[in-house]
Amino acid sequence: MPSETRSAGGDTRTFLGAIMRNPFELGAIAPSSKAVARLAASIVPDTHDAVVVELGAGGGVISDAIRERLPPGGRQLAVELNDDMVRHLRHSRPWLEVAAGDAADLGKVLGRAGVAQADAVISSLPWTLFDEQRQKSILDEVSATLVQGGRFSTVITLSAMPSRRFRRFRGLLEHTFTGVGTMGPVWLNVPPALVFTASRSRPGSKG
Ligand SMILES: C[S@@+](CC[C@H](N)C(=O)[O-])C[C@H]1O[C@@H](n2cnc3c(N)ncnc32)[C@H](O)[C@@H]1O
């Protein structure tokens, strides 16, 4: 179905169905709002050959925001673990390159798609469902994937922020990247959310 005729209701129905079947993989009570999606996608470079990778594309709302910003000639890949969401993305967004797989194996997943490095990585992964080892593995994979100076953004709901797992994630983010900052909050998101942004460290400058 062309993106122009695709229904946002269909995205939400598929996403909510997947949440009911597997809440601990989806890690959300609703898809991100368009406002959060636009903030997360604001790190997409304006160069014509940019490679942008999305982690945890779900129903595709952030994929749409990335597509809106990516200049012609760019390449956009969505990495998604959940089979239902992979099928939904492939059906609803035939223009999107969907790589089925785990963000913890990002290098291998991208390698199978013929991608060595990315200019930006955009995530809405449920970080506070992951233990510290898994958080670290994924952030290390993201760092190894980004070009020097490449940007990373990730959606974090305010409701997740008081948890110990979020504090560990925040520490790992500071350790792995430079220039960690935030955008938002977007109060009308369900639940309200911030977007964290960071850049790939210079080689040897950190962990
Ligand atoms: C919170 S939802 C976000 C969905 C959508 N991007 C949005 O913003 O509405 C998290 C998504 O990440 C996916 N996911 C969870 N763990 C993952 C992993 N290790 N690798 C890739 N995708 C993962 C889930 O299946 C789900 O689609």
Side-chain angles (χ1 to χ4, degrees):
M1 189 188 302
S3 59
E4 291 71 21
T5 56
R6 174 181 44 74
S7 89
D11 292 347
T12 303
R13 263 195 309 279
T14 309
F15 191 67
L16 294 180
I19 290 172
M20 304 283 279
R21 283 187 292 282
N22 203 342
F24 294 108
E25 187 173 288
L26 273 287
I29 55 169
S32 295
S33 63
K34 286 188 178 175
V36 161
R38 278 195 290 268
L39 273 191
S42 65
I43 64 161
V44 170
D46 56 8
T47 47
H48 284 269
D49 56 354
V51 175
V52 178
V53 172
E54 180 186 2
L55 307 181
V61 61
I62 299 179
S63 317
D64 293 344
I66 294 170
R67 188 191 194 203
E68 274 168 28
R69 286 190 71 100
L70 190 65
R75 187 168 175 188
Q76 175 178 358
L77 284 100
V79 177
E80 173 55 55
L81 186 60
N82 181 278
D83 292 339
D84 291 339
M85 301 319 302
V86 167
R87 268 192 298 279
H88 170 75
L89 289 165
R90 288 185 173 147
H91 177 72
S92 63
R93 291 165 176 79
W95 47 266
L96 183 62
E97 216 177 319
V98 182
D102 188 335
D105 300 323
L106 187 60
K108 282 189 199 145
V109 172
L110 294 182
R112 286 198 291 271
V115 171
Q117 288 208 291
D119 299 284
V121 175
I122 296 170
S123 149
S124 52
L125 292 176
W127 293 104
T128 54
L129 295 184
F130 302 154
D131 64 22
E132 188 175 5
Q133 188 50 48
R134 191 158 171 76
Q135 291 177 346
K136 183 172 179 343
S137 307
I138 298 176
L139 288 177
D140 285 347
E141 289 279 322
V142 170
S143 175
T145 294
L146 282 171
V147 297
Q148 202 174 322
R151 305 287 312 282
F152 174 59
S153 71
T154 188
V155 176
I156 301 282
T157 60
L158 297 192
S159 53
M161 291 179 68
S163 69
R164 199 164 52 170
R165 283 195 173 171
F166 170 74
R167 285 195 295 280
R168 286 199 179 130
F169 172 74
R170 173 85 202 240
L172 288 169
L173 197 61
E174 299 275 0
H175 180 75
T176 313
F177 297 96
T178 54
V180 174
T182 59
M183 295 187 286
V186 177
W187 295 107
L188 292 180
N189 198 68
V190 182
L194 284 172
V195 172
F196 278 73
T197 57
S199 299
R200 184 184 159 184
S201 319
R202 288 183 303 282
S205 65
K206 282 193 167 188

